[in-house]
Amino acid sequence: MSQFSFTSSSSSNFTLFYHSQNHNPSKFHVSAPFRTSQPSPSHPILPPLCSREPSSSSPLLEEKPETSQSSSKFDPQDRLSYNDEVADEISTTKKSLEELLVVRRPVKDPNVANDDEKGEAVSNFEDSQERNDLLEEQPSSSSFPLDAGLKKFAKKVPIFEPSRLESDSGEKPLKVNLDLALYKAKILARKFQYADAEKILQQCIDVWPEDGRSYVALGKILSKQSKLNEARTVYEKGCQATQGENPYIWQCWAILENRMGNLRRARELFDAATVADKKHIAAWHGWAVLELKQGNIKKARNLLGKGLKFCGGNEYVYQTLALLEAKAKRYERARYLFKQATRCNRKSCASWLAWAQLEAQLENNRAARQLFEKAVQASPKNRFAWHVWGVFEANLGNIDQGRKLLTIGHMVNPRDPVLLQSLGLIEYKNSSANLARVLFRRASQLDPRHQPVWIAWGWMEWKEGNISTARELYQKALSINSTTESAARCLQAWGVLEQRAGNLSAARRLFRSSLNINSQSYITWMTWANLEEDQGNSIRAEEIRNLYFQQRTEVVDDESWIMGFLDVIDPAIDSIKRLLNLDQNSYYKVKESTSNTTAGDDVEGSTEESASPSSANVNDNNIDTGSGFDLDDFIRIMLSLDPSKLEVQLTTSLKDPPKIARTTNGVWRPATKTSRTSTTL
């Protein structure tokens, strides 16, 4: 019976020993002895398997007999049988070596199909080839023979397997995928594909629940669809997921509650936003705007001051403070605050535009034009800038200039109904009613839910004597929403129509309904009082006037806040204290001290000089402001519009079918946000 054995040692060679008794090759002994100085005389040493040394008798095994006596006993027949038996033993030895030298291969991905015949053949071939390499490789004399094979095998093993890591460890995708998904949802929301946008944002929330941007975006989309309760739920979950540390979610939730009329809850949420991050300027500003609408001027100033204290200079805070100063008729301080707002952001179109409206109100027309120019330069496609500037020029009698500005605004904002509404009013007053009807009809097609368009159209039809058409248009406006300020103006205009038509009872009901919506409307109260006085009810007319003064909410805005505000707004600048002095010349001192600081301030100083009231520019209706601004070159370069073809382009756009944005569920949605405009009735 053959017998083989392996013995591990420090030697790197495997030695095969053959025990022969009377030259009977029945027993082999494979051993790996420890290296010694003298080999054992009783075991003849054979070359290793698959040796590259030359062999005269057998390529696999060569026997070295100990004495000549033993070698003389072999005859050729015995030699052949001996070689056959040795070959059999070598084959058995090789199989044993293969079983011993099996190397554990890495675990394969279970998702990969291993039943492919070709794949199995390649895999078996690689396994056998590696085992043959291990067997055939001549081991070195300094290491275990398996080390070299394992080292070679390790080179073929992949160090990193992304598919297994992603599936087994459960790691999240890269953060850039969240940014791309949010951008895609934003684009879908712009196209009014709200269902697809909601699906993407919900997936973002499931994968990245700790990121607040997904909650904010989803809440805004739901709010646009008037799904206020669902939006509230989203914001609440977002605050829980972010552990109340995201001020943007608190702020959006507060705005939602303010929209729903929950003022106390809105104040609490604004407070939570400022606690989460006291440098979140939007929360301070939004809270201040809420207090302003409620008439809490002192509280609003305090909140705006805290915003400047914790967040530094901000254009929106300065602009709101400037508007408060303008409302309190402290115009010099308002100009300074507008200047601070434009310094914070030279591209703030809203700040330039608000400043221009202040100067237009003060009939400082030249300064107003320069500020309008800066507004359109800051934002060339801003529809509010083109609209307000165009109406300003039309009110001054520059009809062609006003029509041109409104046309430019319509070319860059073809889906804005407000620009077409103002164009329609200008055409009715200075051209023809038919062209005005075309403009009103196109505006109503662009945004059927824009109430001022229907009101202005109804007013024009009433002036033209089409009473029934005017009633239908007024009714259409009220069917959109009967609780807004636009609805109050519509009811007042409809009341005037019924009064002129002799339906006094209907007129009284309409005036009463308008005052239920807006009890502070001086025009409505006085119109109703005049109606009663015309009917000989002077006592009733006096009662109506007294009711107006009794229920009127008068906001008293004193100057006591200025002393504390000086320590908040910017304590390092001494010019502010000089500015907010009661001395009327303090404004010019500040201007002189700051006019030579930078090149940008020089340009701003020229605007301030023109903004100051003087006899040279009051009631200046000349379009040329002297600032070097060329409107034609500006629209040609910045907007790619041909000034000579504006009327042709307007006529062509009116003939083309309107591009109306609809949601997937068929509900009308405005294509663009529209500004609230008041129509003179």
Side-chain angles (χ1 to χ4, degrees):
M1 189 73 182
S2 299
Q3 182 178 1
F4 295 89
S5 64
F6 281 103
T7 305
S8 61
S9 67
S10 61
S11 175
S12 63
N13 294 329
F14 284 100
T15 308
L16 179 66
F17 294 93
Y18 166 61
H19 297 270
S20 174
Q21 296 179 358
N22 296 327
H23 303 286
N24 184 10
S26 60
K27 292 184 180 180
F28 287 91
H29 180 76
V30 180
S31 173
F34 291 99
R35 181 177 295 178
T36 56
S37 58
Q38 294 181 355
S40 175
S42 62
H43 301 284
I45 301 177
L46 299 178
L49 294 175
C50 304
S51 174
R52 293 183 175 85
E53 296 179 359
S55 176
S56 59
S57 61
S58 174
L60 298 177
L61 185 63
E62 181 179 358
E63 180 186 9
K64 292 182 181 180
E66 293 180 0
T67 60
S68 60
Q69 182 179 359
S70 61
S71 97
S72 63
K73 295 181 180 181
F74 281 101
D75 57 1
Q77 188 66 27
D78 294 337
R79 184 69 175 179
L80 292 175
S81 61
Y82 168 77
N83 289 339
D84 293 339
E85 293 181 3
V86 169
D88 294 338
E89 296 294 340
I90 291 299
S91 177
T92 305
T93 303
K94 188 173 182 180
K95 292 181 180 179
S96 300
L97 288 173
E98 290 177 357
E99 295 176 357
L100 179 64
L101 298 178
V102 171
V103 181
R104 295 182 64 185
R105 297 187 60 78
V107 179
K108 295 183 177 295
D109 193 344
N111 297 327
V112 180
N114 293 326
D115 54 348
D116 189 2
E117 295 180 358
K118 184 176 179 180
E120 284 186 343
V122 173
S123 177
N124 295 334
F125 174 79
E126 292 177 352
D127 294 342
S128 61
Q129 188 68 24
E130 291 172 1
R131 288 193 293 268
N132 292 336
D133 292 340
L134 292 175
L135 292 173
E136 293 178 0
E137 182 176 274
Q138 179 67 31
S140 60
S141 58
S142 61
S143 63
F144 194 68
L146 289 178
D147 294 343
L150 291 175
K151 186 182 297 184
K152 182 179 179 180
F153 175 76
K155 294 180 180 179
K156 300 180 181 180
V157 177
I159 299 177
F160 178 72
E161 299 180 49
S163 59
R164 292 185 59 194
L165 179 62
E166 181 177 355
S167 59
D168 297 341
S169 62
E171 290 188 2
K172 296 181 181 179
L174 295 177
K175 201 65 174 289
V176 68
N177 296 309
L178 174 60
D179 300 333
L180 295 175
L182 292 174
Y183 178 76
K184 185 177 181 180
K186 181 180 179 181
I187 297 301
L188 291 174
R190 287 180 179 177
K191 297 178 180 179
F192 301 96
Q193 300 177 9
Y194 292 134
D196 297 336
E198 291 176 15
K199 184 178 179 181
I200 293 176
L201 292 174
Q202 191 60 51
Q203 293 176 354
C204 294
I205 292 175
D206 295 338
V207 180
W208 295 277
E210 73 283 352
D211 196 290
R213 293 176 294 174
S214 303
Y215 300 98
V216 172
L218 182 57
K220 288 183 177 180
I221 289 177
L222 294 173
S223 299
K224 289 180 180 179
Q225 302 175 78
S226 300
K227 300 178 181 179
L228 303 183
N229 292 327
E230 297 181 15
R232 176 191 290 167
T233 303
V234 170
Y235 291 141
E236 185 176 359
K237 291 181 179 179
C239 292
Q240 294 175 357
T242 58
Q243 299 180 356
E245 297 179 356
N246 192 306
Y248 297 93
I249 303 178
W250 289 115
Q251 178 211 349
C252 293
W253 191 359
I255 294 174
L256 177 65
E257 295 294 341
N258 184 24
R259 177 182 174 184
M260 300 175 68
N262 303 325
L263 301 182
R264 181 177 180 181
R265 181 62 172 164
R267 289 187 176 97
E268 294 176 353
L269 295 172
F270 276 125
D271 190 16
T274 57
V275 171
D277 184 6
K278 65 180 181 180
K279 294 185 178 181
H280 188 61
I281 189 63
W284 295 109
H285 184 263
W287 193 356
V289 171
L290 183 149
E291 299 297 342
L292 285 175
K293 291 182 179 180
Q294 299 302 314
N296 302 325
I297 305 298
K298 188 174 181 180
K299 178 66 174 178
R301 290 187 185 278
N302 185 24
L303 293 171
L304 293 173
K306 288 183 178 179
L308 292 176
K309 177 181 179 181
F310 295 121
C311 310
N314 182 271
E315 57 192 278
Y316 299 104
V317 175
Y318 282 127
Q319 177 185 339
T320 305
L321 287 171
L323 293 175
L324 287 176
E325 294 301 308
K327 187 176 181 180
K329 298 182 179 180
R330 294 189 284 266
Y331 301 118
E332 303 301 335
R333 300 169 188 171
R335 288 190 180 102
Y336 175 78
L337 293 170
F338 277 128
K339 177 183 175 183
Q340 294 297 112
T342 55
R343 278 185 174 180
C344 290
N345 184 7
R346 303 285 298 179
K347 296 296 183 179
S348 176
C349 179
S351 299
W352 293 112
L353 192 58
W355 192 357
Q357 289 179 289
L358 171 64
E359 300 301 339
Q361 179 184 355
L362 298 176
E363 297 183 354
N364 194 0
N365 300 330
R366 183 179 179 182
R369 285 192 184 93
Q370 292 182 356
L371 294 170
F372 280 128
E373 293 171 0
K374 291 182 178 295
V376 296
Q377 290 176 9
S379 180
K381 294 185 179 181
N382 190 287
R383 62 184 185 274
F384 301 106
W386 293 110
H387 176 257
V388 177
W389 190 6
V391 173
F392 166 77
E393 295 293 348
N395 291 335
L396 292 178
N398 302 322
I399 304 301
D400 294 336
Q401 183 71 3
R403 183 187 291 112
K404 181 179 180 179
L405 293 170
L406 292 173
T407 304
I408 294 172
H410 173 68
M411 290 295 102
V412 295
N413 299 279
R415 294 190 297 177
D416 184 29
V418 182
L419 293 164
L420 290 179
Q421 172 196 340
S422 299
L423 270 174
L425 291 174
I426 291 176
E427 295 299 338
Y428 171 68
K429 293 178 181 179
N430 301 278
S431 179
S432 65
N434 292 330
L435 180 56
R437 287 189 182 94
V438 173
L439 293 170
F440 285 134
R441 184 175 293 107
R442 174 52 65 91
S444 63
Q445 291 174 351
L446 290 175
D447 188 2
R449 299 185 61 83
H450 187 63
Q451 288 178 301
V453 172
W454 299 103
I455 299 172
W457 192 358
W459 175 82
M460 187 200 73
E461 295 296 346
W462 170 58
K463 288 292 185 180
E464 288 295 307
N466 302 322
I467 305 301
S468 60
T469 304
R471 287 193 182 101
E472 293 177 0
L473 294 171
Y474 286 147
Q475 188 174 1
K476 177 65 177 178
L478 292 175
S479 65
I480 298 173
N481 194 339
S482 60
T483 60
T484 61
E485 294 183 3
S486 295
R489 291 194 295 269
C490 180
L491 290 168
Q492 186 265 342
W494 196 351
V496 173
L497 183 150
E498 297 298 341
Q499 178 186 356
R500 300 291 175 85
N503 302 324
L504 301 181
S505 60
R508 290 187 179 95
R509 288 196 303 270
L510 291 169
F511 289 145
R512 187 179 295 107
S513 299
S514 177
L515 292 173
N516 289 335
I517 299 174
N518 183 14
S519 62
Q520 303 298 314
S521 176
Y522 174 81
I523 295 177
T524 306
W525 283 105
M526 295 302 107
T527 303
W528 190 3
N530 291 334
L531 182 150
E532 299 296 341
E533 192 170 12
D534 293 341
Q535 298 300 316
N537 300 327
S538 57
I539 299 177
R540 178 60 176 166
E542 190 65 24
E543 290 177 356
I544 292 174
R545 293 188 181 95
N546 292 334
L547 285 174
Y548 165 70
F549 289 106
Q550 290 175 7
Q551 61 81 41
R552 182 182 59 176
T553 302
E554 185 174 357
V555 179
V556 179
D557 186 14
D558 57 3
E559 298 183 2
S560 60
W561 70 276
I562 298 176
M563 301 305 297
F565 185 70
L566 287 173
D567 299 330
V568 175
I569 184 172
D570 198 352
I573 302 179
D574 295 334
S575 60
I576 297 179
K577 295 184 178 180
R578 295 194 302 269
L579 168 72
L580 298 182
N581 235 336
L582 295 178
D583 184 9
Q584 296 295 329
N585 296 327
S586 60
Y587 167 73
Y588 301 101
K589 295 178 182 178
V590 176
K591 178 179 68 65
E592 292 174 0
S593 64
T594 58
S595 59
N596 297 323
T597 54
T598 60
D601 291 340
D602 292 338
V603 179
E604 200 170 73
S606 63
T607 304
E608 293 173 4
E609 184 178 359
S610 62
S612 60
S614 63
S615 60
N617 53 20
V618 172
N619 296 328
D620 184 8
N621 296 339
N622 186 12
I623 298 177
D624 186 10
T625 60
S627 61
F629 178 75
D630 192 337
L631 180 61
D632 294 342
D633 290 342
F634 177 78
I635 64 174
R636 186 182 297 107
I637 295 173
M638 300 300 297
L639 303 176
S640 302
L641 294 176
D642 189 354
S644 61
K645 297 181 180 180
L646 289 177
E647 294 184 2
V648 177
Q649 294 177 356
L650 176 61
T651 305
T652 304
S653 65
L654 294 177
K655 292 180 180 179
D656 295 336
K659 298 179 180 179
I660 304 171
R662 291 175 180 265
T663 57
T664 55
N665 55 5
V667 179
W668 288 94
R669 297 294 175 189
T672 56
K673 293 182 180 179
T674 55
S675 63
R676 179 179 297 173
T677 58
S678 60
T679 306
T680 305
L681 300 175

